Amino acid sequence: MTNIKLIPYLTFENTKSALEYYKRVFGVTDVKRQAPTQKQAEEMSLNPDVNLDNLTMNASFRILGKDVYCADSFLGKPVVSSLISLMFEVDLHDSDAASELESLYKRVADSEEVKVIITFEKKSNGNKYGQVVDKYGVTWIFNAVK
């Protein structure tokens, strides 16, 4: 079972706009986005006059070297939920990884486009931990452990 991956997959009402947000606020890279083809639009019974370029069939981006996938919700408006969390965990002994994690947290928190739930700082157990919630309700957890 070592060939099994767990891949974060987010759904948005407007993925095209969400990708711009994540580029600006989180500094995500390697953004890829594919609009539905005319055939896919017909198969999903989309309105014939809809601008397909504004829709996203599938997309992805990279953050701290990890892939996140996403797409538009074609089944109705998605419900914003802070019950969805994505956690980055690094070893504090890996100074490069710990520095990257701290830089990402600082960038995101300083943007004022997220809600800081827990400030990323050293806790009583010696680990560093923090949480933010983005404008789409996704909780991002920053965890640096000994």
Side-chain angles (χ1 to χ4, degrees):
M1 291 214 181
T2 59
N3 289 328
I4 296 174
K5 292 181 187 179
L6 180 62
I7 299 171
Y9 199 104
L10 305 173
T11 304
F12 301 101
E13 186 173 2
N14 183 333
T15 300
K16 191 174 184 179
S17 176
L19 291 170
E20 291 304 314
Y21 169 80
Y22 287 116
K23 282 195 290 190
R24 183 180 70 254
V25 177
F26 286 75
V28 302
T29 61
D30 301 325
V31 175
K32 298 175 183 148
R33 190 182 78 80
Q34 182 180 30
T37 64
Q38 189 62 45
K39 182 176 181 184
Q40 289 168 323
E42 289 168 9
E43 289 170 352
M44 291 186 291
S45 301
L46 297 179
N47 246 335
D49 62 343
V50 70
N51 182 349
L52 295 181
D53 187 52
N54 289 332
L55 302 178
T56 302
M57 194 69 182
N58 57 62
S60 64
F61 58 84
R62 288 183 71 75
I63 182 167
L64 293 183
K66 302 299 177 194
D67 293 318
V68 177
Y69 291 81
C70 51
D72 283 348
S73 171
F74 290 97
L75 301 175
K77 186 173 183 174
V79 176
V80 173
S81 170
S82 61
L83 299 177
I84 297 169
S85 300
L86 300 176
M87 180 168 59
F88 289 112
E89 184 172 278
V90 301
D91 184 334
L92 273 171
H93 298 102
D94 182 340
S95 59
D96 290 342
S99 178
E100 281 186 67
L101 185 66
E102 186 146 6
S103 291
L104 176 62
Y105 173 83
K106 184 167 177 28
R107 175 193 179 119
V108 170
D110 288 351
S111 76
E112 298 183 3
E113 293 193 58
V114 299
K115 180 178 181 185
V116 175
I117 304 300
I118 300 172
T119 304
F120 185 64
E121 59 189 12
K122 196 173 198 178
K123 304 301 177 194
S124 60
N125 61 5
N127 296 340
K128 289 183 84 174
Y129 182 87
Q131 281 186 12
V132 302
V133 176
D134 70 27
K135 79 178 217 173
Y136 296 99
V138 177
T139 300
W140 295 80
I141 300 171
F142 300 81
N143 194 23
V145 298
K146 288 183 167 182

